[in-house]
Amino acid sequence: MGNYYDEDYYPEDYYEEQPRDSNIDRAKILIYTELFEKEPENVFYGRQIQVLFEDKFFHWITEKALKELVAEGTIKYEEMVLKDKVSIRFYMTRNNRYWKRKAESKRKLIAQYSTTEFGKALGHHSEILFDSAMAKYGFMPKGENVKEYKGKKWTETGHNLDRIYERDGIAYGAELKNTLSYIDRDELEIKLEMCKTLELKPLFIMRMAPKSYIWEYVGKEGGFSLIFKYQLYPFGFEWFAKEVRRELALPVDCPRVIESGTIERFFKWHEKNL
């Protein structure tokens, strides 16, 4: 049916390169009992299930668990066109015969927040909120969409860093990700290389990231990962965030400011490492 929605699908080889984890078996049990057994007439899409269980399992563990549940015949999936030639998978119980109406309702909702325009608005809004919140703790924005800093320049790729924040003579190369999905691993590695080249401490401000990313990549490079859990919707979209929470149970919100406790975690780490 063409391409898959990039918030719902990773290429097959991405999962194949991950060794089978015993947590897949635990994930299969929890996903089935907590979703499909409790709501046998409901339908769920892939990214939604990953996010719902992300406090317990990495996204790729959940994806592998879904794949095995389908292969075993425990559940099934159906594909629907999300937009243009892009399709999306909905998972359901084997006996769910009347899935189309619920799936169509959810497809329309997903299509609303899957547009390029809304994606840009999510990114821009998170930058505004974090610029303000960081400044309150003395981390001043010194650059936007940066490829060079103090005479040093990144030329290996066309990437840039979202921000540079400075405090106490320390400069942080910051990347902000206000997405349901994890940051792409290749992009993460490039941004870390950029920080090395520009001699910046890496700071990744993300809705969610696996612990392996936080330690193996960012932590080993002397950086910090600031996780804020809820996807931040732009001002004026409170009604939409409420609808997405009600229909999909996704962690989305429309706050006016970033909670002080979020930035304080980074501030304490900064103070400790001065």
Side-chain angles (χ1 to χ4, degrees), residues 208-227:
M208 182 56 68
K211 291 179 180 178
S212 57
Y213 279 22
I214 293 172
W215 170 243
E216 292 176 21
Y217 291 93
V218 185
K220 285 184 178 179
E221 296 298 332
F224 189 84
S225 294
L226 184 60
I227 306 300

Side-chain angles (χ1 to χ4, degrees), residues 139-140 142 149-150 163-174 195 198-203 266 270:
F139 298 97
M140 305 308 297
K142 297 296 183 178
Y149 178 71
K150 292 188 175 180
R163 292 290 188 276
I164 291 180
Y165 294 112
E166 287 186 9
R167 176 177 168 141
D168 300 319
I170 299 175
Y172 294 92
C195 287
L198 303 182
E199 296 185 3
L200 301 166
K201 277 189 173 291
L203 170 62
F266 172 57
H270 168 84

Side-chain angles (χ1 to χ4, degrees), residues 42-270:
N42 208 346
V43 298
F44 308 90
Y45 86 100
R47 176 65 67 199
Q48 175 192 15
I49 300 173
Q50 291 175 7
V51 173
L52 290 177
F53 286 90
E54 66 187 3
D55 288 339
K56 298 181 178 71
F57 309 109
F58 296 147
H59 287 186
W60 56 77
I61 294 293
T62 298
E63 182 66 19
K64 283 187 173 183
L66 288 171
K67 183 177 179 180
E68 291 190 12
L69 286 170
V70 170
E72 294 165 1
T74 306
I75 61 174
K76 65 179 181 179
Y77 71 80
E78 299 284 353
E79 294 177 6
M80 296 184 72
V81 174
L82 181 63
K83 54 183 178 179
D84 301 325
K85 295 182 180 180
V86 179
S87 62
I88 188 169
R89 287 180 177 178
F90 285 100
Y91 293 86
M92 64 203 74
T93 59
R94 298 289 302 178
N95 297 323
N96 191 342
R97 298 173 57 191
Y98 306 103
W99 61 272
K100 286 188 177 181
R101 179 177 294 181
K102 287 187 177 180
E104 174 59 17
S105 175
K106 293 185 177 184
R107 185 201 66 80
K108 290 180 178 178
L109 186 60
I110 296 164
Q112 285 182 263
Y113 63 69
S114 304
T115 64
T116 301
E117 294 76 11
F118 194 69
K120 289 180 179 179
L122 289 172
H124 183 59
H125 181 62
S126 64
E127 290 172 351
I128 292 174
L129 289 180
F130 276 99
D131 278 351
S132 175
M134 293 286 281
K136 288 180 180 178
Y137 277 80
F139 298 97
M140 305 308 297
K142 297 296 183 178
E144 299 180 12
N145 303 320
V146 176
K147 292 184 179 180
E148 55 184 295
Y149 178 71
K150 292 188 175 180
K152 298 175 178 63
K153 189 173 183 179
W154 173 260
T155 59
E156 298 298 315
T157 68
H159 293 78
N160 56 49
L161 292 168
D162 289 330
R163 292 290 188 276
I164 291 180
Y165 294 112
E166 287 186 9
R167 176 177 168 141
D168 300 319
I170 299 175
Y172 294 92
E175 187 68 14
L176 283 79
K177 288 295 179 186
N178 186 22
T179 59
L180 292 177
S181 60
Y182 296 153
I183 184 175
D184 180 78
R185 185 172 50 188
D186 291 338
E187 182 183 5
L188 175 66
E189 291 175 348
I190 289 172
K191 297 301 173 79
L192 287 170
E193 285 300 316
M194 290 183 70
C195 287
K196 283 184 182 180
T197 299
L198 303 182
E199 296 185 3
L200 301 166
K201 277 189 173 291
L203 170 62
F204 285 81
I205 303 173
M206 302 176 285
R207 187 203 67 82
M208 182 56 68
K211 291 179 180 178
S212 57
Y213 279 22
I214 293 172
W215 170 243
E216 292 176 21
Y217 291 93
V218 185
K220 285 184 178 179
E221 296 298 332
F224 189 84
S225 294
L226 184 60
I227 306 300
F228 55 93
K229 179 68 175 176
Y230 280 79
Q231 189 174 37
L232 308 173
Y233 276 24
F235 299 140
F237 282 84
E238 291 87 351
W239 62 271
F240 191 32
K242 184 178 180 180
E243 186 176 1
V244 171
R245 289 196 301 270
R246 182 180 67 248
E247 295 297 325
L248 301 174
L250 291 174
V252 301
D253 201 1
C254 195
R256 294 291 174 178
V257 297
I258 300 297
E259 291 185 3
S260 59
T262 300
I263 307 300
E264 194 167 340
R265 296 200 305 272
F266 172 57
F267 173 71
K268 289 180 178 179
W269 179 87
H270 168 84

